[in-house]
Amino acid sequence: MNLKAIYGDIQASIKNWYRNKAALFWTFAFPILLILIFGEIFSGGNEPYIIYIQDMDNSMASHLFVENMSHINIIKVKLIDSSKNIEEYAKEHAAIQIPKGFQDSIIYGKKCNLTLYLDPSKQEINSAIKSFLISVIGEMNLKISNATEVIGYEEKYVTGNNFNYIDFFIPGIIGMTVMTSAIYGSIEINVKYKKRGLLKKLLTTPMKRSEWIFSKMIYQLIINFLSTIVIILVGMVAFNMKASFNFMVIVIIASASFAFTGMGMIISRFVNEEETADSAASAVNFPMMFLAGTFFPIEMMPHFLQVFAKILPLYYVNEGLRNAMIYHNFHASILNTTIITIFAFIVFLIGSLITDWKEP
Amino acid sequence: MNVIEVKDLRKEYGNVIAVDGISFEVRSKEIFSLLGPNGAGKTTTVEIIEGIRNATEGTVKIFGKSMDAHIKEKIGVLPQEFQSFERLTVRETLIYFSRLYKKCGNIDEIISIVGLKEKENELYKNLSGGQRQRVGVAVSLVGNPELVFLDEPTTGLDPAARRGLWNVIKKLKEDGKTVFLTTHYMEEAEYLSDRVAIMHNGKIISIGSPKELIEKYGEKTRIIISIKDKLIEIETEEDEIPELIEKIRRDGTKYDRIEIKRANLEDVFLKLTGARLK
């Protein structure tokens, strides 16, 4: 391997990139603008009121309680399986646990307390949720025992990670930027180099195709790490972001760079004109950007779109980054990374095989 | 000694035959031109020799071997319509390409050869068409090649820029390099080449030095004398022209204009194909 050639190619690519104002805009300014705009819109705590309910009693009475809670329009009830640890869910959104023996207590007129898990840092949301709960409990008490307080609640505070929307959003923006930069970069390099006769020229030099592809990968990786660092810094400075940067983030970004560069190489094979290259890249980028949970959780989408989202590589990049940066769920993060890495290996292999410098 | 040997080269695209079984050799340290109109098969031929395209049939040997990494160290190529990196300077571009070779030429010297000393720190995108072509030629020289391929290097240039590039190409020959040139400009091939292969419809229809081709296929040199409304044409040999003109003067013939018409490669092409070169 000619390291001198690879170093030269990376250096030239970086120079060509930082002298290109449009490239700088899309790599740095665009994601920063998105962070500032979306961060400002959603930093006021306007999230939907999601409440997790864990029904340990599974009785008519407990079902009635769940139904009454669900009837409140601005609350979205999500049920948790009784085998799960409710406190893990409570770190994310408020949660209510219906204890075992709930129905029996009502029948025998014994007071029974629901447990309301709250994050103390979300006072504004907590008071709203408490008022909804009090209203549902009051109504049930009235019907069951003529206003005698049979059903009550106790609060339990969960020391959550106190993450907010921006913490959710930033990993998505990193994933999106890696994807955009790698796909557009790869298509642009392949199509423009071909159009400008640079691929022909390189074919007549001693540089091997594998060395060229390798240098372009490293270049893409450098750009992606630079943009990730800038995005995280902006998130920390402007919105006090709490997401952390760790080894898994590096692995995910590296895998994602390979995966999306490979995708770009495959697309370039079918695009010959510079004008159509951007359209082809956009046709792949935009649906993935909006459907893969970049800006909002995919749970907010209809079921069929959620299924579709899970076949998109960007979904696993976003999930992997969130698991690594926010939830610190490294097992889930490793699983996401494995999926991306396998995908990267397949598309990169296909991309390398079908990228031919030779003319027909 | 032959630097390039092409034998029975054929290239087909479906039913279209782009190159139709051509054979020729390029000798060491000569400027060899492939001359023909657009679509004659020149670029396809040169790109097969350079290893950019595969031949349908036939063989190509460069320095007695098929194209490999070792051969690539000894050749320099300017592909047709080559455009370099927009945002690299002339010097940076040459440094970039020089790193692709084990041995490389002196960048300062190459910049001087192509006459871009004053523009060496200018971004490629800010250069004129002629300067860009010079960068292309310079790029083909960074590996200090023994054999240089220049595919239509002066297409689209104004006459002054073209002349400037011709001088650069002449200098390459003086420096002992073999130059393989493709062009559709007759005067370019005639001015620069030691030998010319004329290509038409995928075939080489004649090959030789410009002088040989003109002598073989061109009409004799003529002196055309216009006297009032009459034109008198006299066929003559080149060395007899001064004496003939002197004789006309001595005779006291009153003429309006004397024109000397020499045959050129355009006439050769017309004679061989029945068509004009352009």
Side-chain angles (χ1 to χ4, degrees):
Chain A
M1 193 165 264
N2 183 355
L3 293 178
K4 188 176 72 166
I6 292 170
Y7 168 75
D9 193 70
I10 294 170
Q11 194 192 44
S13 300
I14 290 175
K15 277 183 183 170
N16 216 34
W17 168 76
Y18 75 64
R19 288 169 184 168
N20 183 349
K21 288 187 184 72
L24 288 179
F25 173 81
W26 289 107
T27 311
F28 294 125
F30 181 63
I32 289 170
L33 276 175
L34 283 181
I35 293 168
L36 295 176
I37 293 166
F38 278 79
E40 199 53 45
I41 291 170
F42 292 109
S43 61
N46 289 332
E47 295 111 305
Y49 294 122
I50 293 171
I51 296 183
Y52 288 116
I53 298 181
Q54 188 175 42
D55 185 358
M56 308 299 280
D57 196 45
N58 199 16
S59 60
M60 275 179 64
S62 65
H63 292 171
L64 183 67
F65 172 77
V66 173
E67 200 183 316
N68 286 341
M69 286 297 289
S70 306
H71 282 159
I72 300 171
N73 284 338
I74 57 165
I75 278 184
K76 191 172 179 189
V77 170
K78 290 187 172 184
L79 290 173
I80 314 169
D81 192 83
S82 58
S83 62
K84 303 280 183 188
N85 179 4
I86 191 169
E87 292 197 7
E88 286 300 317
Y89 289 86
K91 287 175 182 174
E92 203 181 330
H93 296 292
I96 298 168
Q97 189 179 54
I98 306 170
K100 197 161 178 57
F102 178 70
Q103 181 166 280
D104 290 347
S105 297
I106 292 170
I107 291 168
Y108 297 115
K110 274 168 63 184
K111 190 176 177 192
C112 175
N113 276 342
L114 303 166
T115 311
L116 173 62
Y117 291 85
L118 296 169
D119 180 343
S121 69
K122 297 176 181 171
Q123 282 304 327
E124 205 180 325
I125 298 169
N126 291 348
S127 45
I129 285 172
K130 271 194 266 183
S131 68
F132 299 139
L133 181 62
I134 288 166
S135 115
V136 169
I137 289 174
E139 197 181 331
M140 285 182 78
N141 279 332
L142 188 68
K143 281 184 185 165
I144 296 163
S145 55
N146 203 16
T148 309
E149 194 186 10
V150 177
I151 307 168
Y153 78 95
E154 58 182 15
E155 289 175 22
K156 206 168 174 180
Y157 288 97
V158 181
T159 320
N161 293 316
N162 303 338
F163 292 115
N164 50 35
Y165 178 74
I166 200 76
D167 301 312
F168 169 88
F169 184 58
I170 294 245
I173 285 292
I174 293 172
M176 180 203 79
T177 309
V178 169
M179 173 188 74
T180 310
S181 159
I183 292 183
Y184 275 103
S186 175
I187 293 177
E188 184 179 298
I189 285 170
N190 279 286
V191 175
K192 281 196 176 165
Y193 273 38
K194 194 168 192 175
K195 195 84 184 161
R196 301 175 74 86
L198 275 160
L199 290 184
K200 276 185 189 176
K201 172 69 200 168
L202 289 171
L203 187 58
T204 65
T205 71
M207 190 180 209
K208 295 188 188 107
R209 199 167 58 103
S210 57
E211 291 170 343
W212 185 75
I213 291 173
F214 180 70
S215 76
K216 290 288 171 264
M217 292 304 312
I218 301 294
Y219 156 70
Q220 205 60 63
L221 215 53
I222 292 169
I223 302 300
N224 286 334
F225 279 127
L226 280 176
S227 63
T228 300
I229 289 165
V230 171
I231 289 167
I232 289 175
L233 285 176
V234 170
M236 286 166 81
V237 172
F239 296 103
N240 194 25
M241 184 192 92
K242 291 163 211 75
S244 56
F245 189 80
N246 51 50
F247 177 71
M248 280 312 293
V249 177
I250 295 173
V251 176
I252 293 165
I253 290 175
S255 305
S257 283
F258 273 86
F260 293 124
T261 304
M263 280 181 75
M265 285 159 75
I266 294 171
I267 297 166
S268 326
R269 189 69 181 87
F270 305 100
V271 179
N272 287 320
E273 299 299 324
E274 282 180 54
E275 296 75 23
T276 46
D278 283 347
S279 310
S282 303
V284 176
N285 266 331
F286 280 100
M288 260 210 280
M289 196 188 289
F290 288 104
L291 296 176
T294 302
F295 304 111
F296 45 80
I298 64 162
E299 287 76 17
M300 289 173 71
M301 301 191 300
H303 180 71
F304 77 95
L305 281 179
Q306 290 185 37
V307 174
F308 180 69
K310 287 178 183 171
I311 61 167
L312 301 174
L314 183 61
Y315 168 77
Y316 296 96
V317 175
N318 289 340
E319 283 296 296
L321 287 171
R322 283 184 187 122
N323 281 322
M325 295 175 76
I326 309 177
Y327 310 131
H328 298 293
N329 185 347
F330 287 99
H331 287 294
S333 171
I334 288 168
L335 179 67
N336 297 134
T337 311
T338 309
I339 294 169
I340 304 158
T341 309
I342 293 170
F343 177 76
F345 181 77
I346 295 168
V347 291
F348 196 72
L349 190 70
I350 296 171
S352 302
L353 289 174
I354 66 172
T355 299
D356 194 1
W357 285 358
K358 277 213 168 191
E359 295 289 318
Chain B
M1 183 199 157
N2 291 332
V3 172
I4 300 173
E5 286 170 352
V6 174
K7 204 170 174 200
D8 303 326
L9 194 69
R10 188 176 173 84
K11 179 70 179 178
E12 294 170 8
Y13 295 104
N15 294 328
V16 179
I17 300 166
V19 179
D20 194 2
I22 61 174
S23 299
F24 61 91
E25 295 86 34
V26 177
R27 296 168 195 157
S28 179
K29 298 179 183 178
E30 72 173 351
I31 298 181
F32 179 88
S33 294
L34 211 48
L35 173 71
N38 291 331
K42 306 184 299 293
T43 294
T44 305
T45 302
V46 75
E47 288 187 349
I48 292 170
I49 298 169
E50 292 163 352
I52 293 172
R53 293 176 196 272
N54 290 325
T56 309
E57 280 172 31
T59 57
V60 173
K61 299 276 181 201
I62 301 179
F63 301 111
K65 292 178 180 174
S66 299
M67 179 62 80
D68 61 13
H70 182 67
I71 301 288
K72 286 179 180 180
E73 291 281 353
K74 294 161 92 170
I75 65 168
V77 174
L78 169 64
Q80 194 179 57
E81 294 175 356
F82 171 76
Q83 295 281 304
S84 192
F85 305 100
E86 290 267 293
R87 292 174 188 85
L88 290 190
T89 65
V90 172
R91 176 169 283 278
E92 286 167 349
T93 302
L94 299 186
I95 291 172
Y96 168 80
F97 282 102
S98 71
R99 283 178 173 149
L100 307 182
Y101 297 86
K102 282 182 189 151
K103 60 172 175 61
C104 59
N106 183 313
I107 301 288
D108 289 312
E109 207 175 293
I110 294 167
I111 289 174
S112 295
I113 290 172
V114 297
L116 285 173
K117 190 73 194 148
E118 285 174 12
K119 295 284 177 185
E120 65 173 315
N121 293 315
E122 192 69 66
L123 293 182
Y124 182 82
K125 65 175 182 164
N126 297 334
L127 300 176
S128 69
Q131 289 162 344
R132 287 178 176 208
Q133 285 298 77
R134 281 165 185 259
V135 173
V137 175
V139 162
S140 70
L141 302 177
V142 292
N144 197 16
E146 293 171 37
L147 169 61
V148 182
F149 292 92
L150 305 172
D151 191 1
E152 308 260 5
T154 61
T155 298
L157 300 188
D158 60 60
R162 187 174 298 161
R163 281 266 165 198
L165 209 50
W166 287 359
N167 293 336
V168 173
I169 296 168
K170 281 270 188 198
K171 179 84 171 52
L172 298 182
K173 179 182 158 66
E174 286 166 20
D175 290 345
K177 298 185 191 304
T178 307
V179 180
F180 188 114
L181 183 74
T182 67
T183 182
H184 60 266
Y185 294 122
M186 165 277 300
E187 66 277 22
E188 183 166 289
E190 198 171 323
Y191 176 75
L192 291 172
S193 316
D194 295 306
R195 287 193 311 132
V196 177
I198 298 177
M199 214 169 165
H200 184 60
N201 290 339
K203 289 184 172 156
I204 288 180
I205 50 176
S206 194
I207 194 163
S209 70
K211 194 165 176 269
E212 282 168 1
L213 293 175
I214 291 165
E215 277 174 3
K216 192 169 174 189
Y217 299 106
E219 289 178 353
K220 278 196 154 189
T221 302
R222 285 166 295 157
I223 293 183
I224 303 166
I225 309 160
S226 60
I227 303 168
K228 289 188 180 167
D229 295 336
K230 276 168 60 183
L231 283 178
I232 301 164
E233 285 195 26
I234 307 163
E235 274 194 7
T236 179
E237 295 299 329
E238 192 68 30
D239 52 1
E240 290 171 358
I241 294 172
E243 195 184 323
L244 204 58
I245 291 174
E246 189 53 38
K247 188 171 182 293
I248 294 165
R249 280 190 183 145
R250 270 203 314 270
D251 292 350
T253 313
K254 294 216 167 164
Y255 58 87
D256 298 321
R257 202 158 65 97
I258 293 182
E259 190 185 342
I260 301 164
K261 193 144 193 224
R262 293 184 175 92
N264 56 29
L265 286 177
E266 178 77 41
D267 302 316
V268 174
F269 189 80
L270 183 65
K271 174 105 177 179
L272 288 170
T273 66
R276 292 232 161 248
L277 195 52
K278 285 164 193 164

